[in-house]
């Protein structure tokens, strides 16, 4: 049976470190502050918001919420972003995406100051992920994958990694972060020929396609480490990942659960980005 790579211990270790760093900042009269910009009442946004607020409270990070109705105008959204930019007490901003209007989302992302972009929403932050330098931070979930592997002392350098997924939110950024760790990375997607074979040949599989239980038993081989980033709901209404956990777990060496895996580390990484932004400020 596989080792279960739970996110809770990793998130707890990072949280404890951040509590100390926040205390040091407050001794200098600086309180790290996260702005949350949410449009509408999507259930997944609210769930992530609640998790983020809970983690911030535990660490000592203050939170300012900018909650807008679903039919909000373009100018109201941009006005909220300007207010976040101008507020010196706000060190980081998380915008819940996707927006109802893609054009408004793009305009808001262009307007947000890069130094307050703690979840890689701006083009400048995304460019820094690919270049390895610049202002901004990687997407929290992509960085959480690497943090989780480090926490469990899973070697990355020299290993073959297959990333199943090519989005700008997870697939492409996590590929760049793994390349920085000297992994040999293959990026696949739903149209890759012999996707199962590409996954079987890897030492580490990162599942980030966004389809419930798409990766079944034939995708896995003995000795592999599987990091499942997917957050889906199966036919029975249960939360599940992109991997068929019951099929993969008897085969592979280690696997993250869903829920209870990468997701719990993501909010801790978000808070780390806010604390780091406050330290820079």
């Amino acid at each position: 049976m596989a080792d279960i790579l739970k996110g809770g211990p990793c998130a707890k270790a990072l949280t404890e470190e951040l509590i100390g760093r926040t205390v040091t900042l407050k001794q200098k009269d600086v309180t790290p502050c996260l702005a949350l910009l949410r449009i509408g009442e999507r259930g997944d946004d609210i769930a992530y918001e609640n998790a983020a607020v809970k983690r911030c409270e535990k660490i000592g990070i203050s939170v300012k919420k900018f909650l807008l109705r679903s039919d909000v105008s373009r100018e109201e959204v941009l006005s909220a972003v300007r207010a976040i930019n101008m507020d010196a007490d706000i060190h980081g901003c998380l915008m819940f995406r996707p927006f109802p209007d893609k054009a408004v989302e793009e305009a808001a992302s262009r307007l947000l100051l890069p130094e307050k972009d703690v979840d890689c929403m701006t083009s400048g932050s995304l460019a820094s992920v690919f270049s390895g330098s610049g202002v901004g931070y990687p997407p929290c979930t992509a960085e959480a994958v690497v943090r989780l592997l480090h926490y469990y002392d899973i070697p990355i350098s020299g290993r073959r990694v297959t990333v199943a997924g090519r989005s700008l939110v997870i697939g492409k950024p996590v590929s760049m972060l793994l390349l920085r760790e000297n992994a040999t990375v293959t990026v696949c997607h739903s149209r890759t020929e012999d996707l199962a074979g590409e996954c079987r040949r890897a030492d580490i599989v990162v599942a980030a396609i966004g389809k419930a239980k798409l990766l079944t038993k034939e995708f896995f081989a003995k000795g592999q480490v599987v990091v499942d980033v997917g957050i889906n709901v199966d036919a029975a209404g249960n939360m599940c990942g992109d991997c068929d956990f019951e099929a993969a777990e008897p085969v592979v060496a280690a696997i993250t659960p869903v829920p209870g895996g990468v997701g719990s580390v993501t909010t801790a990484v978000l808070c780390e980005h806010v604390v780091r932004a406050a330290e820079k400020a």
Side-chain angles (χ1 to χ4, degrees):
M1 305 297 282
D3 292 332
I4 308 302
L5 308 179
K6 294 183 179 180
C10 177
K12 182 181 179 181
L14 181 53
T15 297
E16 290 173 353
E17 175 197 327
L18 293 174
I19 290 172
R21 289 165 65 181
T22 300
V23 168
T24 299
L25 283 167
K26 289 183 176 181
Q27 290 171 346
K28 301 176 182 178
D29 295 324
V30 177
T31 299
C33 179
L34 172 67
L36 299 175
L37 175 58
R38 172 166 57 82
I39 299 176
E41 300 287 332
R42 283 177 29 139
D44 55 346
D45 286 349
I46 293 172
Y48 185 30
E49 177 185 313
N50 291 339
V53 169
K54 185 177 179 180
R55 183 78 60 182
C56 286
E57 289 175 347
K58 189 175 295 186
I59 292 168
I61 298 171
S62 67
V63 176
K64 293 186 179 181
K65 296 184 180 182
F66 295 77
L67 307 180
L68 307 175
R69 64 186 188 281
S70 57
D71 61 347
V72 66
S73 70
R74 173 191 176 96
E75 186 49 43
E76 285 176 296
V77 174
L78 298 185
S79 178
V81 177
R82 292 189 191 97
I84 291 167
N85 284 345
M86 293 175 64
D87 190 337
D89 291 332
I90 293 176
H91 301 100
C93 173
L94 174 66
M95 295 192 291
F96 292 92
R97 299 173 290 173
F99 284 14
D101 187 321
K102 184 66 175 177
V104 175
E105 179 181 325
E106 291 174 353
S109 296
R110 288 194 300 270
L111 183 61
L112 181 66
L113 290 175
E115 56 266 32
K116 296 192 178 189
D117 179 14
V118 290
D119 195 28
C120 202
M121 295 169 283
T122 65
S123 58
S125 294
L126 192 59
S128 71
V129 170
F130 284 80
S131 69
S133 62
V135 179
Y137 304 86
C140 296
T141 303
E143 186 171 338
V145 171
V146 179
R147 292 290 187 101
L148 196 62
L149 292 172
H150 283 317
Y151 179 81
Y152 283 103
D153 294 322
I154 294 169
I156 301 174
S157 180
R159 296 298 180 94
R160 297 185 303 273
V161 181
T162 292
V163 176
R166 56 180 172 179
S167 74
L168 284 175
V169 178
I170 304 293
K172 291 177 182 176
V174 79
S175 299
M176 294 299 105
L177 297 182
L178 290 165
L179 281 172
R180 285 192 212 170
E181 300 280 336
N182 298 313
T184 299
V185 182
T186 299
V187 181
C188 300
H189 44 82
S190 58
R191 297 188 183 182
T192 297
E193 290 189 11
D194 192 20
L195 177 58
E198 293 293 346
C199 289
R200 281 197 308 272
R201 286 186 282 273
D203 300 307
I204 301 171
V205 176
V206 179
I209 285 184
K211 293 187 179 180
K213 300 183 179 180
L214 177 69
L215 278 63
T216 50
K217 184 176 181 179
E218 64 269 21
F219 285 73
F220 305 109
K222 290 187 180 299
Q224 288 183 317
V225 173
V226 179
V227 182
D228 193 346
V229 182
I231 299 292
N232 311 288
V233 177
D234 65 16
N238 299 313
M239 184 181 293
C240 65
D242 289 355
C243 301
D244 184 335
F245 184 88
E246 288 73 20
E249 195 251 348
V251 178
V252 301
I255 187 170
T256 61
V258 178
V262 176
S264 55
V265 183
T266 298
T267 54
V269 170
L270 170 68
C271 291
E272 199 274 339
H273 289 176
V274 176
V275 171
R276 203 190 316 169
E279 289 169 340
K280 289 181 179 179

